[in-house]
């Protein structure tokens, strides 16, 4: 009927009829929303785990890229980057502040040629790695030790002058010559039970001053006295190393010559002693034939005169 009002009962029934599907639709939407939130949370967690794994791998790759594969210490590229960073840090000193020092220490280990020839390349490389790790324990956390090439190591010493670098160089050289070399099993070489013949055949040749057969020479350069850029510093350290090696070679040659003179003098004295002992043995074998040696009366003037007097008395009686 046109223009007539809808009875409230019909409106209530219509609302009840429409409310049921709307409630079901709302519940369905809520379920879907929870599923989406759970899926999003799982996706976020999975992505976070993947990002953490990628970061771990990137850090591992960064460490591997910065490490020498043989010795495990810093490689040449990392040394150059660190040196550039330390030089820039020394340049950024505020006005009025004392200048920062930076020492560059170039260390060369010698004696590995003989060790490689006697023990093989594999054992020599294992010893070089163990020695590099031991040298790393002798520097501070703020210092950087890396393999410069071959058996050369570069040490960057921030906030260190020439005197401090010299003390570090002396300590590192002492460690090189006194470090206990390792065998294949990782035990100290000197503690490995071997026959005496094997020990004499396998032991490395002792270097200057004895020790384990290895010795080291160091060259030092200090910023800003020897240069204010990485390249001049490295060149100055290399020149200092060359000069130190030449001085050490001259000292070893002089020491060897002095030892040779002493041995020559000892050999001459030994030869004289041998000749004297030979004469004594000859006198003991042949009686009193020698006027210079032997226990007989001819060797003693008083006894000779006594013998002559007795001989004269016998002739007179005859």
């Amino acid at each position: 009927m046109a223009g007539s009002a809808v009875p409230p009962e019909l409106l209530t029934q219509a609302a009840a009829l429409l409310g049921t599907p709307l409630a079901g639709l709302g519940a369905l939407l809520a379920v879907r929303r929870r599923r989406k939130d759970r899926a999003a949370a799982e996706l976020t967690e999975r992505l976070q785990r993947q990002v953490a794994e990628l970061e771990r791998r990137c850090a591992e790759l960064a460490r591997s890229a910065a490490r020498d594969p043989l010795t495990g210490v810093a490689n040449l590229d990392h040394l150059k980057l660190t040196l550039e960073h330390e030089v820039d840090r020394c340049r950024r000193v505020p006005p009025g502040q004392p200048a920062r020092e930076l020492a560059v220490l170039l260390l060369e280990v010698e004696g590995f040629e003989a060790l490689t020839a006697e023990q093989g390349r594999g054992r020599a490389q294992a010893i070089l790695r163990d020695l590099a790790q031991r040298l790393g324990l002798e520097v501070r956390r703020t210092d950087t030790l890396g393999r410069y090439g071959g058996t050369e190591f570069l040490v960057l010493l921030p906030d260190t002058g020439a005197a401090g670098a010299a003390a570090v160089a002396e300590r590192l050289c002492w460690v090189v010559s006194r470090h206990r070399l390792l065998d294949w099993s990782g035990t100290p070489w000197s503690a490995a039970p071997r026959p005496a013949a094997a020990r004499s055949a396998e032991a490395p040749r002792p270097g200057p001053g004895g020790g384990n057969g290895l010795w080291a020479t160091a060259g030092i350069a200090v910023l800003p006295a020897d240069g204010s850029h990485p390249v001049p510093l490295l060149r100055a350290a290399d020149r200092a190393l060359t000069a130190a090696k030449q001085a050490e070679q001259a000292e070893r040659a002089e020491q060897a010559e002095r030892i040779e003179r002493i041995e020559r003098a000892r050999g001459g004295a030994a030869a004289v002693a041998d000749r004297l002992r030979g004469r004594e043995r000859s006198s003991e074998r042949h009686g009193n034939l020698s006027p210079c040696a032997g226990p007989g009366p001819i060797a003693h003037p008083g006894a000779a005169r006594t013998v002559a007097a007795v001989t004269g008395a016998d002739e007179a009686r005859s």
Side-chain angles (χ1 to χ4, degrees):
M1 189 179 301
S4 60
V6 179
E9 295 80 2
L10 293 177
L11 293 176
T12 302
Q13 293 177 1
L17 293 174
L18 293 176
T20 301
L22 289 176
L25 180 61
L28 179 61
L29 292 176
V31 171
R32 289 184 176 179
R33 180 61 181 270
R34 287 194 298 270
R35 288 180 179 176
K36 287 183 179 180
D37 292 343
R38 187 164 53 250
E42 292 177 354
L43 178 61
T44 302
E45 184 179 359
R46 185 167 62 252
L47 291 177
Q48 289 177 349
R49 288 198 301 268
Q50 292 178 355
V51 170
E53 179 65 18
L54 290 175
E55 290 178 349
R56 186 189 65 80
R57 291 184 179 181
C58 288
E60 184 178 353
L61 289 175
R63 287 192 299 269
S64 300
R67 298 295 172 184
D68 178 65
L70 177 60
T71 60
V73 297
N75 58 17
L76 182 58
D77 293 337
H78 183 70
L79 286 172
K80 290 181 178 179
L81 292 176
T82 305
L83 179 58
E84 292 178 358
H85 172 73
E86 293 296 339
V87 170
D88 291 339
R89 191 173 69 90
C90 293
R91 290 177 182 173
R92 293 194 301 267
V93 177
Q97 297 291 332
R100 288 177 174 173
E101 291 181 315
L102 173 65
V104 177
L105 192 156
L106 187 58
L107 184 79
E108 182 175 359
V109 181
E110 300 183 70
F112 269 96
E113 295 80 2
L115 193 146
T116 303
E118 294 174 358
Q119 303 299 325
R121 184 175 300 275
R123 178 173 292 186
Q125 290 178 350
I127 291 174
L128 180 61
R129 178 181 178 83
D130 178 70
L131 179 61
Q133 296 295 321
R134 180 65 179 84
L135 292 176
L137 299 177
E138 295 296 328
V139 298
R140 304 168 300 181
R141 290 182 178 271
T142 56
D143 302 334
T144 303
L145 181 140
R147 188 185 181 196
Y148 193 67
T151 57
E152 290 183 344
F153 295 90
L154 185 68
V155 188
L156 307 181
L157 305 169
D159 302 320
T160 304
V168 175
E170 183 178 359
R171 184 167 66 250
L172 294 180
C173 291
W174 186 91
V175 169
V176 169
S177 62
R178 298 299 175 182
H179 181 60
R180 301 179 69 183
L181 305 183
L182 300 182
D183 63 3
W184 284 109
S185 62
T187 58
W189 193 348
S190 59
R194 294 186 304 273
R199 287 198 299 269
S200 63
E202 295 181 3
R205 299 186 181 93
N212 56 13
L214 303 178
W215 68 95
T217 310
I220 299 173
V222 181
L223 182 147
D226 298 314
S228 57
H229 296 275
V231 174
L233 282 174
L234 292 175
R235 289 178 178 174
D238 186 70
R239 289 196 299 269
L241 176 62
T242 302
K245 290 177 63 177
Q246 292 175 352
E248 184 179 356
Q249 290 175 358
E251 183 179 358
R252 288 205 302 267
E254 182 180 357
Q255 182 179 4
E257 184 179 357
R258 185 165 57 251
I259 292 175
E260 185 179 357
R261 289 198 302 267
I262 294 173
E263 293 296 334
R264 194 183 304 117
R266 289 178 178 175
V272 172
D274 290 340
R275 286 197 299 271
L276 291 176
R277 284 193 295 269
R279 290 177 181 178
E280 291 178 358
R281 288 192 296 269
S282 176
S283 175
E284 292 175 358
R285 288 194 302 268
H286 301 288
N288 298 329
L289 298 180
S290 173
C292 300
I298 298 180
H300 305 281
R305 286 195 297 271
T306 303
V307 173
V310 172
T311 306
D314 293 338
E315 290 177 354
R317 283 195 298 269
S318 59

